[in-house]
């Protein structure tokens, strides 16, 4: 296996994004076309472990834009999907390990092109210069034996972390704008609101 060094994200066999092969880059047919729940900026930040300044900068530069509702004009609130928040957390992990921004940008584009079902089984590996996609334990081992992988991000683990975090935070129904109260047992105000609603 050879690293291209150009920052392209590929499969464990060094496959670049545009090549055909066993890892087609299209969304799965069963993926929902619209999100029913969105998360405002502060909630996305809390779940992804980033600052609002990072979130705002990444949205303005096009690194990770909200897919549910972008900010239009003054006072408009961005709404991020669950998948957006997973990508935000992955970007944060890449930055923490020193991966170059252009390589992170390529990885984000790759993640956006994949179907929901693909993400949970994916591991992203990097040697700092290139980001690789691995979809099986054998591919991870092959990559490590080739001397390319230094660290990895199991997307399924990030997925579950974000799922747990968002279950305790507030969301918003996209169709009605209704606030969905998270299930945080330490949030007394949220508990009182839930009790009043019942």
């Amino acid at each position: 296996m050879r690293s291209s060094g150009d920052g392209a994200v590929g499969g464990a066999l060094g496959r670049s994004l545009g090549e055909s092969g066993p890892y087609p880059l299209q969304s799965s047919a069963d993926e929902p076309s619209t999100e029913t729940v969105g998360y405002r900026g502060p909630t996305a930040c809390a779940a992804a472990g980033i600052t609002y300044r990072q979130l705002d900068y990444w949205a303005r530069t096009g690194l990770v834009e909200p897919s549910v509702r972008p900010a239009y004009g003054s006072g408009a609130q961005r709404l991020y999907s669950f998948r957006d928040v997973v990508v935000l957390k992955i970007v944060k992990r890449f930055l923490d390990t020193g991966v170059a921004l252009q390589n992170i940008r390529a990885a984000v584009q790759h993640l956006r092109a994949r179907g929901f079902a693909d993400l949970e089984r994916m591991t992203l590996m990097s040697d700092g210069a290139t980001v690789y996609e691995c979809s099986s334990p054998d591919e991870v081992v092959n990559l490590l034996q080739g001397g390319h992988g230094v660290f990895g991000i199991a997307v399924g683990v990030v997925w579950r972390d974000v799922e747990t975090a968002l279950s305790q935070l507030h969301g918003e129904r996209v169709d009605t704008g209704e606030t969905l109260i998270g299930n945080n047992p330490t949030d007394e105000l949220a508990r009182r609101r839930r009790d009043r609603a019942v």
Side-chain angles (χ1 to χ4, degrees), residues 31-129:
E31 184 175 328
S33 59
T34 59
E35 295 290 331
T36 57
V37 178
Y39 303 94
R40 292 186 179 198
T43 300
C45 290
I50 61 173
T51 66
Y52 193 83
R53 175 179 249 167
Q54 286 174 307
L55 181 80
D56 185 54
Y57 178 73
W58 295 348
R60 285 187 291 109
T61 59
L63 179 62
V64 183
E65 296 175 287
S67 64
V68 177
R69 184 175 65 214
Y72 290 119
S74 175
Q77 292 281 329
R78 295 181 185 117
L79 273 185
Y80 291 83
S81 69
F82 171 80
R83 184 176 173 151
D84 294 337
V85 180
V86 170
V87 172
L88 287 168
K89 192 168 182 87
I90 289 170
V91 168
K92 166 83 163 80
R93 289 204 177 164
F94 274 136
L95 285 172
D96 288 349
T97 54
V99 175
L101 194 57
Q102 79 178 46
N103 297 338
I104 294 172
R105 205 172 280 281
V108 167
Q109 290 171 354
H110 185 70
L111 288 171
R112 290 225 176 265
R114 299 306 297 242
F116 255 125
D118 296 336
L119 291 184
E120 219 174 346
R121 295 187 302 268
M122 185 186 299
T123 299
L124 297 173
M125 302 288 292
S126 180
D127 55 8

